[in-house]
Amino acid sequence: MSTFFDFIGVFCSAAMLFGGIFLLKPSGNTSKAVKYVFALIFLCIVISALLNIKIDEISIDNKKIEQSINTASLSKDFLKLTFEEVLRGQDINFNKITVCTNKTENGSITISKVTVYSKDSPEKIIAALGGNNAEYEIEVLYE
């Protein structure tokens, strides 16, 4: 019911405001155009009051949003691009990179294996990607 009273308040306020402004309108050739502009503005105010939706009435289901985003796929793509940039920065030529990931119980994503298809030396590629200190397996396939 408060939405109805809000609408009535906006309507009456707009009517009084435009009534006062209408008394100040110019006379002559421009009076007809000014009347149309006032009427258009008044209609916009009334329509916006009718379409007023309170923000607190909108509920968003965060669980559905989280489920719709495939974080594993986004992470794989981001990781693949990261490894590609590292190899390009070391002037290593490669044809393809694949990144294998695992999702842990707490929801985080970890890298399990990186496979690089390249004609460069495996030692150079492994060193560029973290060497033997990496927490993931690095496989270099000659291609």
Side-chain angles (χ1 to χ4, degrees), residues 66 69-84 97-104 107-114:
E66 289 173 6
I69 299 173
N70 187 352
T71 55
S73 174
L74 291 174
S75 294
K76 272 188 178 182
D77 293 339
F78 178 74
L79 292 170
K80 184 179 173 186
L81 288 172
T82 303
F83 285 120
E84 287 176 357
I97 295 177
T98 58
V99 179
C100 299
T101 58
N102 291 328
K103 194 169 189 178
T104 61
S108 63
I109 297 172
T110 60
I111 303 169
S112 59
K113 183 178 181 180
V114 177

Side-chain angles (χ1 to χ4, degrees), residues 5-114:
F5 289 120
D6 291 341
F7 169 73
I8 295 297
V10 168
F11 182 82
C12 291
S13 298
M16 289 189 308
L17 177 69
F18 281 103
I21 294 174
F22 190 74
L23 293 174
L24 301 174
K25 76 169 179 53
S27 59
N29 294 338
T30 59
S31 70
K32 194 172 189 178
V34 171
K35 285 182 187 178
Y36 287 125
V37 170
F38 283 164
L40 182 65
I41 293 172
F42 182 76
L43 285 175
C44 290
I45 290 173
V46 171
I47 290 172
S48 69
L50 285 173
L51 298 177
N52 186 16
I53 299 173
K54 292 185 179 179
I55 303 245
D56 57 333
E57 294 175 3
I58 298 173
S59 64
I60 298 172
D61 191 359
N62 289 335
K63 291 179 183 177
K64 288 184 179 179
I65 292 172
E66 289 173 6
Q67 290 171 355
S68 68
I69 299 173
N70 187 352
T71 55
S73 174
L74 291 174
S75 294
K76 272 188 178 182
D77 293 339
F78 178 74
L79 292 170
K80 184 179 173 186
L81 288 172
T82 303
F83 285 120
E84 287 176 357
E85 287 301 314
V86 168
L87 293 178
R88 284 189 189 111
Q90 298 289 324
D91 293 327
I92 297 173
N93 296 321
F94 59 93
N95 296 327
K96 182 179 169 185
I97 295 177
T98 58
V99 179
C100 299
T101 58
N102 291 328
K103 194 169 189 178
T104 61
E105 292 177 6
N106 65 359
S108 63
I109 297 172
T110 60
I111 303 169
S112 59
K113 183 178 181 180
V114 177

